[in-house]
């Protein structure tokens, strides 16, 4: 066993003494040491209950003959960090989490790992870290939050952000806002829509790194605890068979994940995280944007979950979960069931899969749309591409042309939106918020939700080198690459420039000649760095991070 390097032989007597200081018996040290990486905290609703999940995993590990050893992982709550400087610290934690997994696993000689994430960057960060160390690993998420309810309608976190815009527009009273505030988030779990956390937990199933059910079993259900125990038991089998992340995270796995992504209508953040995970696993793709469009063109959108529709993750679970969606895709050979997983092949996970609600999971021959939930656009504004959640765009906005309203920060744009200064047909441009320019590539849920709350989400587009929450709906186009801080054309735009967006034909352009853009570029000078302490992690991040088009990984 790999753990022999910390527990066997005369030379390891000091290490054994330290294990015994922790209360371990010789009998426990004779068994495989299973590291349990858990992102429990008291600040993230999706993580508040992960101690319960970790105890269930540990029970499963012990019952199967292993010794579980728990260690902590950080996580940022994007909802709490949203709309202020704290959002700079969201995406950047992905690299810290990956580094933490590597450091803890390698330093302590674990034989295998069970990873317990739930929200946003924690899932891809753990996947990246485990792909690096390549020890036998299984994932189990904390599960989604139940939706809130008011007047018989489901509520999610995005309902709250949109309500802020509705209050500003005089469409909702502050009393109603307070009532929503009490009801929208009823308990622990990752927020109830097809936002980034749930997108990534569902995608982890398609990647083959978790058992079926990982993405959809609600956090509060006893089924989730039983699921965690089964995962703890499974890791001993994975260890015995020596199945490793790089055996599973193959090109087949990423193509399956993208197909599921398109069918579910996942967050645009998956287009940032999947290439980063692939990079860590050694399964690199030359042009991920082109791959997104290729898979989207072939894969129908089968689900319209919040924010694109009224259904929430608990509805998807009741309808058959991720396995039912994958089974629909398999009918048209849109996934490869032979892809290896930590429990066998993907086909093994689809046995018995049933679509129990055709209104939530459309049959493959009756999709919501013939193409997938995401689209990558390109043009003179974004030569290296950008991304939009097309399944959450009003049909009238799939083609849109209008004057640019330029803002060099999210805060400036949000202030103008809340003051009613944005008009129908405008194209809001928020720049210098990319991975380097932010630094940290902030999410823009505040501005997009305010537009939706004001009833402008089907009249106004938003283009940014930053990114969007999975809770965003509307013509929200992010990840524009190259970003403004690195000389991208988005930094050359001026108020009034006419921007033409064509999601159908995958293009985004400013109505300017190449000569005019070149003239502006010759006069462009890099902006002064934002107020970031040179000793801070943000400063170091900005120096090392690559373009969003390559997953914003460290160079």
């Amino acid at each position: 066993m790999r753990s022999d390097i910390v527990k066997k032989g005369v030379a390891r007597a000091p290490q054994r003494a330290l294990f015994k200081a922790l209360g371990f018996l010789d009998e426990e040290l004779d068994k495989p040491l299973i590291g349990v990486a858990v992102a429990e905290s008291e600040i993230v609703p999706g993580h508040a209950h992960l101690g319960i999940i970790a105890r269930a995993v540990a029970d499963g590990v012990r019952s199967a003959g292993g010794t579980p050893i728990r260690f902590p992982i950080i996580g940022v709550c994007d909802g709490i960090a949203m709309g202020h400087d704290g959002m700079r610290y969201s995406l950047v934690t992905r690299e810290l989490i990956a580094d933490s997994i590597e450091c803890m696993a390698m330093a302590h000689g674990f034989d295998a790992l069970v990873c317990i994430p739930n929200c946003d960057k924690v899932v891809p960060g753990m996947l990246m870290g485990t792909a690096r160390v390549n020890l036998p690993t299984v994932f189990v998420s904390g599960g989604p939050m139940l939706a809130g309810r008011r007047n018989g309608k489901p509520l999610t976190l995005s309902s709250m952000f949109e309500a802020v815009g509705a209050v500003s527009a005089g469409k909702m009273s502050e009393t109603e806002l307070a009532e929503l505030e009490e009801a929208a988030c009823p308990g622990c779990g990752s927020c109830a829509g097809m936002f980034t956390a749930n997108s990534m937990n569902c995608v982890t199933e398609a990647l083959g790194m978790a058992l079926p059910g990982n993405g959809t079993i609600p956090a509060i259900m006893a089924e989730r605890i039983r699921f965690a125990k089964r995962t703890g038991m499974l890791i001993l089998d994975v260890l015995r068979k020596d199945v490793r992340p790089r055996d599973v995270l193959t090109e087949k796995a990423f193509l399956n994940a993208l197909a599921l992504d398109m069918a579910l209508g996942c967050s645009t953040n998956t287009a940032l995280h999947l290439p980063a995970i692939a990079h860590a696993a050694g399964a690199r793709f030359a042009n991920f944007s082109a791959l997104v469009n290729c898979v989207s063109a072939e894969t129908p959108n089968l689900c319209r979950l919040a924010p694109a529709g009224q259904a929430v993750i608990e509805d998807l679970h009741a309808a058959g979960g991720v396995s039912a969606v994958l089974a629909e895709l398999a009918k048209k050979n849109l996934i490869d069931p032979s892809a290896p997983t930590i429990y066998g092949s993907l086909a093994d996970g689809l046995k018995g899969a049933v679509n129990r609600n055709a209104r939530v999971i459309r049959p493959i021959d009756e999709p919501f749309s013939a193409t997938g939930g995401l689209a990558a656009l390109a043009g003179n504004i974004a030569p290296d591409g950008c991304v939009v959640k097309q399944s959450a765009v009003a049909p009238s906005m799939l083609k849109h042309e209008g004057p640019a309203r330029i803002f060099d920060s999210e805060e400036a744009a949000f202030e103008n939106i809340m003051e009613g200064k944005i008009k129908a047909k405008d194209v809001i441009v928020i720049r210098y918020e990319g991975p380097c320019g932010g630094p940290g590539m902030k999410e823009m849920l505040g501005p997009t939700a305010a537009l939706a709350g004001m009833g402008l989400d089907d009249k106004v587009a938003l283009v940014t080198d930053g990114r969007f929450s999975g809770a965003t709906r509307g013509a929200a186009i992010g990840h524009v690459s190259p970003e403004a801080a690195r000389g991208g054309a988005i930094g050359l735009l001026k108020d009034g420039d006419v921007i033409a967006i064509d999601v159908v034909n995958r293009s985004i352009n400013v109505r300017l000649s190449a000569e005019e853009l070149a003239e502006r570029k010759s006069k462009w000078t890099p902006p002064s760095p934002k107020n970031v302490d040179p000793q801070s992690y943000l400063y170091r991040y900005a120096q090392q991070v690559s373009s969003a088009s390559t997953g914003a990984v460290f160079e």
Side-chain angles (χ1 to χ4, degrees), residues 198-279:
N198 292 322
S199 294
M200 288 307 304
N201 285 325
C202 290
V203 161
T204 301
E205 284 189 49
L207 286 172
M209 290 298 294
L211 286 166
N214 180 69
T216 61
I217 300 171
I220 66 166
M221 288 188 172
E223 183 182 358
R224 174 61 61 177
I225 296 174
R226 297 195 299 271
F227 182 83
K229 288 180 180 178
R230 283 196 297 272
T231 299
M233 296 172 68
L234 176 64
I235 189 59
L236 275 299
D237 187 53
V238 174
L239 175 60
R240 185 175 63 255
K241 294 177 178 176
D242 196 29
V243 179
R244 297 175 181 253
R246 292 193 180 197
D247 299 327
V248 173
L249 295 172
T250 62
E251 183 177 338
K252 285 182 183 180
F254 286 100
L255 290 173
N256 285 341
L258 270 177
L260 176 73
D261 190 329
M262 299 305 165
L264 287 177
C266 289
S267 163
T268 52
N269 281 316
T270 58
L272 197 66
H273 298 320
L274 284 173
I277 298 163
H279 181 273

Side-chain angles (χ1 to χ4, degrees), residues 57-186:
V57 166
D59 288 344
V61 169
R62 288 192 185 95
S63 69
T67 297
I69 303 176
R70 173 174 158 174
F71 62 90
I73 296 293
I74 66 164
V76 164
C77 177
D78 278 18
I80 294 174
M82 196 73 66
H84 58 92
D85 253 9
M87 180 44 67
R88 291 183 178 186
Y89 288 90
S90 172
L91 178 62
V92 303
T93 63
R94 190 187 69 183
E95 316 311 309
L96 287 175
I97 290 163
D99 289 348
S100 295
I101 292 286
E102 177 184 346
C103 292
M104 293 298 287
M106 300 309 292
H108 298 109
F110 293 124
D111 294 299
L113 299 171
V114 177
C115 288
I116 310 176
N118 212 23
C119 293
D120 293 15
K121 269 56 61 192
V122 185
V123 186
M126 285 189 174
L127 283 165
M128 291 163 65
T130 55
R132 280 190 215 161
V133 301
N134 206 31
L135 296 175
T137 303
V138 179
F139 275 67
V140 51
S141 78
M145 184 186 293
L146 295 180
R149 299 283 167 178
R150 185 170 181 266
N151 299 327
K153 293 184 178 180
L155 298 173
T156 67
L157 181 65
S158 63
S159 307
M160 291 308 307
F161 280 95
E162 291 180 13
V164 171
V167 170
S168 177
K171 296 182 178 183
M172 180 182 290
S173 70
E174 290 192 29
T175 299
E176 290 175 295
L177 180 68
E179 291 174 1
L180 286 181
E181 183 181 318
E182 295 291 334
C185 299

